[in-house]
Amino acid sequence: MTTQTSAMGKTKTGGRFELYAWFFTRATGILFLLMGAFNLIYANLTGGRGHLDVGAQMRWAFFPISSHVSSTSVEVTPNFANPFWQAYSFLLVAFAATHGFNGLRVILEDYVQHPLLLTWLRALLVGIWLFVLVAAAFLVFVLV
Amino acid sequence: MKARIKIRRFNPETDRKPYWAEYRLDAQPWDRVLDVLVKIKDYQDGTLTFRRSCAHGICGSDAMVINGRNRLACKVLMKDVGARVTIEPLRGLPVIKDLTVDMAPFFAKYRSIQPFLINDDPPPYTERLQSIEARARFDDTTKCILCAACTTSCPSFWANDSYVGPAAIVQAHRFIFDDRDHGAQVRLAILLDSDGVWRCRTIYNCVEACPREIDITRAIGEVKKALLLGDVE
Ligand code: FES
C-alpha cells in the first residue's frame, strides 16, 4: 500500500518517538510504583518494621542508598553493595527521572510557541535530566 | 420565564474587540436556546449572527459555548440552562462574526485523515456486506456530526492548534476499525505524527462536550493501542 502524505500541512518528524515516549510513560508509571513497593516490603522484612518513620519508609521505597537510610536499623551497606540492588536502585531513579522529564518536555511542547525558546528549553531539560542520571549513578555505584 | 441572555458579539468590520451584548425576553421553559437566539434575531436585533441549519441536532451547525460548555443550541432547553444564559462562539477557531466561527481549519484536519472508504477490491455486484459484529466494532464513532464541539473543548487544541484534534481522530477511528476499509495503515501513519493522537492528554473535555455522546477518549485510546500493537483487531 502506498503511503500518502499527511494533509496536516507539515512534514512529519520524529517517526515513532512519540509512540515510544507515550508507552514508556505508561509502563514506567506502573513499574516504579511496583519497584517502590518491592523496596518497601524488602526493607520492612529485613528488620525495618517498627523502626522506620514515614520519611525513612519513603527513602527506602524510592532511593535506598546508604546515606539515605543509614539512620534506620536496617542493615544497609551489606545488602546494597551488591550489583543487583545497585542496578535496581539506579533503574528506579532513572525511570522516575525520565518519566518526569518527558512529562515536562510534553508540557513545554504544548505551551511554548516560540521555536527558538523551545529549542533552548528542551536543551536545558536534557541537560538537567542527564545531570540527574549521572548524579544517581554516582551515588548508587560509587558512593555506596 | 424572563430570560436574560448575554452574548459575546464581534463584528470584525466595525468592532476592535469582542463585547458582551445583553438581551431580555420572554422565553418558555421548553424553548431551546436556538429558539431564543432566533427570537432575538427576529424581534430585537437582526444583526445577531449565528449558524443553524437542521435545528434537530444532526447537522452540527450550531455548536457554541452555552454557560461555559460546548453545546448544540438546538439540543439545549431553557429549563435546563436557567433564565440567565451566556453564549459565546466556540473557542480555538477564528470568529467570523458573533457566534459564527471559521470551520475551515477544523475541516482541514478532518480531511487530513482521509475520511472516505479506501478499498481497491473491485466492487461486488450488490453492496459490500459486513457482519453485524464487524459493524458494531465502530458503531460509536459513526455518530459524529462534525460540529467541532469536542475539538474546540480540548485544552491541547487550544494550546497548540496544529494538533489534529479529537473529531478527526474519531473520524479516523470510524474507518480504521471498519473491516470493509483497507486504509487503516495509511490513517495510522498519519496519526502517528507528533501532532496526531499523542497530543491527547486524556482530559475528557471532548467526552463531556460531545452532543452525540460518543466515547471519544476511548476511541482515541483504541487508536493509540492500534498504533502500539501495529495491528487493528
Ligand atoms: S442546527 Fe443542526 S445540529 Fe443544531
Side-chain angles (χ1 to χ4, degrees), chain A residues 1-2 4 7-8 10 12-13 15-16 18-19 22-23 106 109-111 113, chain B residues 112 114 159-160 164 182 186 189-190 192-195 198-199 201 224 227-228:
Chain A
M1 184 162 293
T2 52
Q4 298 173 40
M8 272 182 273
K10 0 180 308 193
K12 299 215 221 164
T13 49
R16 301 178 73 77
E18 292 289 343
L19 167 67
W22 176 81
F23 181 68
V106 163
E109 285 174 4
D110 269 357
Y111 291 102
Q113 306 288 340
Chain B
S112 76
Q114 311 200 359
N160 192 329
V164 67
H182 295 169
V186 176
I190 292 165
L192 183 65
D193 189 86
S194 58
D195 286 328
W198 311 115
R199 285 209 187 276
R201 315 278 181 241
K224 286 175 178 166
L227 280 167
L228 184 67

Side-chain angles (χ1 to χ4, degrees), chain B residues 154-174:
Chain B
C154 175
S156 295
F157 178 73
W158 297 335
N160 192 329
D161 61 10
S162 54
Y163 171 38
V164 67
I169 302 174
V170 160
Q171 290 291 339
H173 179 283
R174 180 252 169 274

Side-chain angles (χ1 to χ4, degrees), chain A residues 92-134:
Chain A
L92 180 50
V93 176
F95 282 158
T98 312
H99 180 106
F101 279 104
N102 182 53
L104 289 176
R105 174 188 71 87
V106 163
I107 293 171
L108 286 184
E109 285 174 4
D110 269 357
Y111 291 102
V112 179
Q113 306 288 340
H114 197 290
L116 195 66
L117 182 64
L118 182 61
T119 310
W120 277 108
L121 287 173
R122 260 201 209 124
L124 182 69
L125 213 58
V126 171
I128 305 173
W129 171 64
L130 287 176
F131 172 77
V132 169
L133 290 191
V134 171

Side-chain angles (χ1 to χ4, degrees), chain B residues 34 51-63 72-75 145:
Chain B
L34 179 63
R51 262 197 204 102
R52 67 107 179 82
S53 181
C54 70
H56 288 83
I58 202 62
C59 71
S61 300
D62 61 345
L72 294 178
C74 63
K75 269 190 104 170
I145 56 173

